[in-house]
């Protein structure tokens, strides 16, 4: 497994897209900082300038190439030839994308620290000042990043699942992007339509994408999700495990 994981990380590292697309992060964070910085300085620092959606998009664009491009180019056949276990190949790719996700969050936190120093963007705030949940702001930022990594872990599992179902890179990107931008609205519509018991419908996978937003804005999002943050956390982890398992089962049965 370690050899296969190293190989996947090597491919990610030498793919120009993996690094160039990161430029979206500081650009987006600068725009948000100039637009909201002086009014919501502490909230922006806690949420790393609301970078969660951009990280999800980066994961979708980069992550879709891990499976789909290899299916399209036929390079997956050569990869399978050098290993006896499809599970090793699948989970090496999955773990490589998770590690890339961690890197994106670390970069976001570093940029946040730098932006907090620049007074032109926002009013510098104290890292030790008490903010959300009676915690210092620096703890809020790390906790927020951790919660967001759980949310983006769900996106990683979905990327792997859809990539194993569909060989087209463009379609994989489109499907996963739709999941990000439409999930909250779809979940709300399902709950308002009363298509089933609300206690069950509220656990739909579309609702779980609200986890990060609810963590830093509980009062607003709790009314929409109808679940506590801890319930969203558990639901997100469960769906991540489920999507990963289904993705692996499809990959194991797939003909190359």
């Amino acid at each position: 497994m370690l050899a296969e994981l190293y190989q996947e990380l090597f491919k990610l590292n030498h793919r120009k897209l993996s690094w160039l697309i990161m430029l979206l992060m500081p650009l987006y964070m600068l725009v948000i900082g100039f637009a909201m910085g002086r009014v919501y300085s502490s909230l922006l620092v806690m949420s790393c300038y609301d970078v969660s959606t951009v990280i999800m998009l980066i994961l979708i664009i980069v992550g879709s190439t891990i499976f789909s491009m290899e299916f399209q180019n036929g390079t997956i056949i050569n990869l399978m030839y050098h290993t006896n276990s499809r599970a090793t190949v699948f989970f090496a790719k999955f773990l490589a994308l998770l590690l890339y996700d961690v890197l994106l969050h670390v970069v976001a936190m570093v940029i946040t620290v730098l932006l907090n120093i620049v007074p032109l963007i926002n009013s510098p705030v104290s890292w030790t000042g008490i903010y959300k949940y009676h915690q210092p702001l620096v703890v809020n930022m790390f906790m927020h990043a951790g919660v967001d990594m759980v949310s983006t872990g769900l996106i990683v599992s979905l990327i792997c699942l859809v990539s194993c179902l569909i060989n087209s890179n463009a379609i994989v990107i489109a499907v996963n992007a739709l999941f990000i931008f439409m999930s909250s609205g779809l979940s709300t519509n399902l709950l308002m339509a009363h298509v089933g018991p609300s206690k069950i419908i509220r656990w739909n996978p579309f609702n779980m994408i609200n986890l990060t937003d609810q963590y830093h804005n509980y009062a607003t999002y709790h009314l929409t999700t109808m679940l506590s943050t801890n319930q969203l956390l558990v639901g997100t982890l469960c769906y991540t495990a489920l999507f990963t398992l289904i993705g692996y089962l499809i990959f194991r049965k797939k003909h190359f």
Side-chain angles (χ1 to χ4, degrees):
M1 169 66 86
L2 289 178
E4 286 77 11
L5 177 58
Y6 175 79
Q7 185 178 17
E8 293 300 328
L9 291 173
F10 180 85
K11 287 189 287 187
L12 271 177
N13 184 44
H14 285 78
R15 201 171 283 157
K16 290 182 179 179
L17 179 64
S18 302
W19 298 103
L20 290 177
I21 201 169
M22 285 189 185
L23 294 175
L24 288 175
M25 292 170 59
L27 291 175
Y28 176 84
M29 294 167 76
L30 280 170
V31 170
I32 294 296
F34 279 116
M36 302 171 59
R38 295 196 177 277
V39 179
Y40 300 102
S41 297
S42 295
L43 179 61
L44 289 177
V45 169
M46 174 185 177
S47 63
C48 292
Y49 289 78
D50 197 29
V51 78
S52 177
T53 302
V54 174
I55 288 179
M56 289 183 184
L57 285 174
I58 292 173
L59 286 171
I60 289 172
I61 295 170
V62 174
S64 62
T65 64
I66 286 184
F67 284 98
S68 299
M69 291 299 290
E70 293 200 355
F71 289 146
Q72 286 181 259
N73 300 332
T75 53
I76 192 71
I77 298 174
N78 184 57
L79 189 63
M80 294 302 301
Y81 178 78
H82 289 90
T83 181
N84 296 321
S85 172
R86 289 199 175 199
T88 300
V89 173
F90 178 86
F91 287 105
K93 292 178 178 295
F94 178 76
L95 289 174
L97 197 51
L98 283 181
L99 290 173
Y100 182 65
D101 182 22
V102 173
L103 173 63
L104 292 175
H105 282 87
V106 171
V107 171
M109 287 190 284
V110 171
I111 296 173
T112 298
V113 172
L114 296 176
L115 290 180
N116 189 47
I117 298 174
V118 183
L120 292 176
I121 296 176
N122 66 316
S123 302
V125 295
S126 170
W127 289 100
T128 57
I130 302 301
Y131 190 49
K132 297 281 187 176
Y133 306 105
H134 307 291
Q135 297 172 335
L137 184 59
V138 64
V139 175
N140 284 156
M141 184 181 70
F142 281 110
M143 290 293 292
H144 186 277
V147 168
D148 195 54
M149 278 188 269
V150 175
S151 294
T152 49
L154 175 62
I155 299 302
V156 169
S157 67
L158 188 65
I159 291 169
C160 294
L161 169 57
V162 177
S163 296
C164 290
L165 279 172
I166 305 170
N167 291 349
S168 171
N169 187 43
I171 295 177
V172 171
I173 292 175
V175 169
N176 286 293
L178 284 173
F179 182 86
I180 288 178
F181 290 111
M182 298 180 65
S183 56
S184 182
L186 284 172
S187 178
T188 301
N189 289 337
L190 283 172
L191 289 167
M192 292 180 65
H194 303 291
V195 295
S198 62
K199 288 185 178 180
I200 296 177
I201 298 300
R202 70 183 65 176
W203 289 94
N204 71 81
F206 300 109
N207 206 13
M208 304 305 145
I209 205 71
N210 293 307
L211 172 61
T212 301
D213 288 328
Q214 181 161 309
Y215 180 74
H216 66 248
N217 193 354
Y218 184 87
T220 299
Y221 280 88
H222 176 62
L223 298 174
T224 302
T225 64
M226 299 185 185
L227 292 173
S228 69
T229 304
N230 286 337
Q231 287 174 321
L232 284 176
L233 180 64
V234 171
T236 302
L237 290 171
C238 289
Y239 276 114
T240 300
L242 178 62
F243 290 162
T244 303
L245 177 61
I246 295 174
Y248 165 65
L249 293 175
I250 294 171
F251 181 77
R252 190 177 67 176
K253 299 294 184 182
K254 196 175 183 71
H255 296 289
F256 303 125

